Amino acid sequence: MTADASSVSTPWMALRDTDRPAEPATRPDTVVAVDFIVNGKPCRLELDPRTTLLDALRDHVGLTGTKKGCDHGQCGACTVIVNGRRTLSCLSFAQMNDRDEITTVEGLASDGRLHPVQQAFIDHDAFQCGYCTPGQIMSAIGCISEGHAETDADIREYMSGNICRCAAYPNIVAAIRQARDEMERA
Amino acid sequence: MRPFGFERPETLERAAGIVAAREDRAAPPPLSSAQFIAGGTNMADYMKLGVMRPNLLVDIGRLADPGLRRIAASPDGIRLGALVRMSEAEENADIRIGYPVIAESLQQAASQQIRNMASLGGNILQRTRCEYFRDISWACNKRDPGSGCAAMDGFNRQHAVLGVSDRCIATYHGDFAQALIALDASVETQSPRGGRTMAFSELHRLPGETPHVETQLMADELITLIDIPAKPWARRSHYLKIRDRQSYAFAVASVAVVLDLEDGAVRDVRIALGGLATVPWRAQEAEDELKGGPLDERTAGRAAEAAFAGAMPREHNAFKISLGRQALVRALLETRDMRV
Ligand SMILES: Cc1cc2nc3c(=O)[nH]c(=O)nc-3n(C[C@H](O)[C@H](O)[C@H](O)COP(=O)(O)OP(=O)(O)OC[C@H]3O[C@@H](n4cnc5c(N)ncnc54)[C@H](O)[C@@H]3O)c2cc1C
Ligand code: SF4
Ligand code: FES
Ligand code: FES
């Protein structure tokens, strides 16, 4: 091994007594306070430390648009936008999102007008049962704003984290194409 | 899910110190009572399943040190902070142009949502695992040392053929790590005992008798940086990933190649294999086969034979040997034909 523990000395790394908490600051049986901004509104929650961002949004904020499919990062149904990036709310403990800005599907429409991606999903009938749809829509917004929706092949590749059991894929691609053009014009 | 405490320190020193203060700080990181979490995409998944059981999580996502989030390119190479997100590295122009194998390996890993969350440090350290490891009703030496291995005589189609032991045959599933092996990267770490640098190829340990010990790291040791040297081969570098479906799936076989060609002859080559081995795997026998000679279908085929000479298949994964050989030949020829 080329590891070399002795030659690099970092005095600041020396252990101090203050680094030795007898107990974790957050005890397992306590409730923790978490602050986020959800769809532009500040909100403070008191949560069991185990609560995921997904469960916090659905069960504590009361926004049930974000869906739980697999709860293990495999399906994309729980996709929300955190600080401008699409992420999976089921794989984040809510405490990790303290002070983050979160957008859910409920935060998209403004002044009674649907977001172009929402409208495009309706125009193209881009769903059947609709369970995956909020996640598809949030992911599509990310996909377009990242510049990953230039070609159909790109759309398919960069939307592959969103599974649709009803296999509405061709219509989802068509919807994203329409929304992309509209968002680029705007 | 089991209850756990949560800390969110702002300094590296504090993060490592919290873990170092625990009685079991000498335990291998995944079995220690206090563990780090970065993007959480591996850790949260396994905590929900009861597979990972820290009772204190130390969230390193808000550590203030800017170096942890920086991609710094220089004539000497490129340095990647451990908290750089997979998607940030994948989109970085210096990486795309100078080190294509990195961008390709990241772009084909997981999904965009996961790449937006996951850190490079966490990606390297994602658990080496199999489906039996995920399900606590099965025996698994990696999850519960000494309990046995359900995969040996179970469904082992996904399992490794290289680097296996009679305790564990789980595949290392990451993609980025193969690029790092091929590029001769090293990692820098910090712990309360100081900093150290090790070759990336020495970070992971073969399962041997102790499959629950996956790396050389101590529980209180953080990866801070990944260091990639600028070598003549870096531009002519490529990642080929073969999957059961074309996107959003782990590799059944993958190959990272870096190649330094001079007048059609192989001056230097480094090859890493993924989806086939228990650790990020350097195929040195294949490299030796190629050095100094021409690179064509015949010599690539010989290299592929050499790469799998020591393969040990089980009931359902022997196909990985021929798949792996063909993937290696294809990756070598595609790398040769790159225009750089
Ligand atoms: C559905 C799905 C598909 C996936 N497909 C792929 C794929 O195709 N290819 C691929 O490569 N990966 C794939 N992954 C794995 C994914 O890339 C990893 O989960 C991710 O990279 C882990 O990064 P993280 O920051 O979220 O790590 P975390 O989950 O936060 O941590 C992972 C581990 O690393 C430790 N750790 C994290 N950072 C540090 C550090 N700086 N120092 C010391 N220890 C640290 C943690 O303690 C933990 O043990 C997939 C994951 C999912 C859920
Ligand atoms: S192969 Fe390894 S990870 Fe899978 S069940 Fe056996 S011991 Fe566990
Ligand atoms: S519920 Fe989060 S990815 Fe399936
Ligand atoms: S519309 Fe039914 S799962 Fe997608």
Side-chain angles (χ1 to χ4, degrees):
Chain A
M1 187 156 93
T2 53
D4 183 353
S6 55
S7 68
V8 191
S9 81
T10 41
W12 57 269
M13 279 306 242
L15 248 193
R16 292 185 318 231
D17 279 338
T18 50
D19 293 327
R20 300 176 178 274
E23 288 283 305
T26 316
R27 286 172 43 91
D29 53 356
T30 52
V31 171
V32 292
V34 180
D35 287 293
F36 333 108
I37 298 180
V38 182
N39 299 330
K41 292 191 206 76
C43 73
R44 161 166 278 239
L45 304 174
E46 306 267 312
L47 300 172
D48 179 309
R50 292 169 288 186
T51 313
T52 58
L53 176 59
L54 173 60
D55 289 342
L57 291 169
R58 289 179 54 86
D59 300 344
H60 297 268
V61 188
L63 296 174
T64 54
T66 307
K67 297 294 183 252
K68 183 183 285 190
C70 62
D71 212 19
H72 286 283
Q74 298 168 358
C75 74
C78 66
T79 303
V80 297
I81 295 179
V82 175
N83 301 335
R85 291 191 177 85
R86 52 175 161 153
T87 65
L88 299 177
S89 57
C90 72
L91 286 187
S92 189
F93 292 117
Q95 298 185 80
M96 295 164 68
N97 298 102
D98 191 40
R99 289 172 283 151
D100 282 348
E101 274 191 45
I102 295 147
T103 307
T104 70
V105 72
E106 289 91 342
L108 296 181
S110 63
D111 305 329
R113 277 196 59 221
L114 293 179
H115 186 283
V117 175
Q118 290 175 305
Q119 188 59 52
F121 268 62
I122 293 173
D123 295 346
H124 290 271
D125 209 7
F127 44 81
Q128 290 173 40
C129 77
Y131 197 81
C132 70
T133 311
Q136 299 279 2
I137 288 174
M138 299 315 289
S139 195
I141 291 172
C143 184
I144 295 167
S145 61
E146 291 151 12
H148 288 148
E150 292 311 307
T151 64
D152 286 7
D154 267 2
I155 295 173
R156 285 194 203 96
E157 170 61 32
Y158 285 92
M159 288 295 292
S160 69
N162 291 81
I163 309 292
C164 176
R165 282 301 301 272
C166 302
Y169 298 113
N171 296 6
I172 293 172
V173 173
I176 294 175
R177 229 188 280 132
Q178 169 181 317
R180 170 201 67 203
D181 292 345
E182 216 166 295
M183 287 165 73
E184 278 170 5
R185 270 198 305 274
Chain B
M1 208 184 323
R2 298 153 65 103
F4 59 87
F6 185 86
E7 295 259 7
R8 191 172 226 197
E10 289 189 355
T11 63
L12 266 173
E13 146 188 54
R14 174 103 186 115
I18 293 167
V19 181
R22 311 280 288 191
E23 272 173 16
D24 65 345
R25 61 181 171 274
L31 296 181
S32 151
S33 66
Q35 296 180 35
F36 302 121
I37 187 165
T41 60
N42 198 229
M43 186 61 109
D45 185 12
Y46 288 134
M47 285 176 68
K48 289 181 182 184
L49 293 164
V51 169
M52 298 287 268
R53 301 159 212 158
N55 62 31
L56 178 63
L57 267 187
V58 180
D59 181 4
I60 60 173
R62 297 280 164 100
L63 294 182
D65 185 340
L68 293 169
R69 289 186 189 76
R70 197 177 293 144
I71 299 176
S74 76
D76 300 331
I78 195 158
R79 288 160 69 82
L80 310 174
L83 292 180
V84 169
R85 291 187 177 87
M86 290 170 75
S87 56
E88 290 166 336
E90 166 201 342
E91 300 284 342
N92 180 275
D94 291 314
I95 291 179
R96 294 198 143 204
I97 296 163
Y99 308 84
V101 65
I102 296 182
E104 291 174 5
S105 71
L106 291 169
Q107 195 274 319
Q108 296 177 75
S111 67
Q112 182 73 28
Q113 290 99 311
I114 292 172
R115 297 195 295 271
N116 280 346
M117 302 171 79
S119 64
L120 296 181
N123 181 268
I124 294 171
L125 295 173
Q126 62 180 284
R127 298 301 307 273
T128 301
R129 58 201 188 264
C130 79
E131 289 296 314
Y132 295 107
F133 168 84
R134 271 186 84 82
D135 179 341
I136 57 171
S137 59
W138 295 95
C140 171
N141 286 325
K142 185 181 281 293
R143 171 174 21 83
D144 298 303
S147 63
C149 170
M152 289 292 168
D153 300 309
F155 288 99
N156 42 40
R157 177 179 180 275
Q158 296 292 349
H159 290 71
V161 294
L162 295 167
V164 296
S165 77
D166 58 6
R167 299 292 169 90
C168 180
I169 54 174
T171 306
Y172 177 81
H173 284 296
D175 292 298
F176 177 50
Q178 275 66 249
L180 296 181
I181 295 269
L183 289 165
D184 199 16
S186 53
V187 288
E188 293 181 21
T189 71
Q190 285 288 354
S191 77
R193 291 166 304 286
R196 58 175 177 156
T197 302
M198 66 182 95
F200 182 74
S201 57
E202 283 161 11
L203 176 65
H204 286 86
R205 295 170 44 139
L206 288 166
E209 300 287 299
T210 54
H212 56 287
V213 187
E214 289 177 1
T215 68
Q216 306 281 359
L217 298 181
M218 301 293 289
D220 58 1
E221 191 170 15
L222 277 159
I223 293 186
T224 52
L225 277 174
I226 302 157
D227 227 316
I228 297 145
K231 294 270 178 72
W233 59 48
R235 271 174 176 245
R236 189 179 293 283
S237 68
H238 174 48
Y239 189 67
L240 174 68
K241 181 173 179 180
I242 310 288
R243 297 173 262 194
D244 284 329
R245 62 179 180 205
Q246 209 187 330
S247 184
Y248 198 21
F250 289 107
V252 182
S254 73
V255 186
V257 178
V258 304
L259 189 58
D260 182 10
L261 284 176
E262 191 180 40
D263 303 329
V266 177
R267 186 153 58 185
D268 210 349
V269 59
R270 289 175 63 100
I271 301 168
L273 301 176
L276 298 159
T278 54
V279 292
W281 186 264
R282 182 167 172 204
Q284 206 156 356
E285 300 79 7
E287 296 169 9
D288 293 342
E289 196 64 47
L290 291 166
K291 276 182 202 162
L295 176 52
D296 53 33
E297 209 151 324
R298 193 180 50 85
T299 58
R302 276 214 308 266
E305 288 294 322
F308 290 90
M312 307 254 284
R314 307 287 303 183
E315 187 179 353
H316 305 111
N317 64 356
F319 77 100
K320 282 194 172 187
I321 298 176
S322 51
L323 184 68
R325 282 193 195 119
Q326 291 169 53
L328 178 47
V329 171
R330 189 174 133 196
L332 283 167
L333 298 180
E334 285 177 358
T335 312
R336 178 196 65 186
D337 296 339
M338 279 173 75
R339 275 187 292 172
V340 296

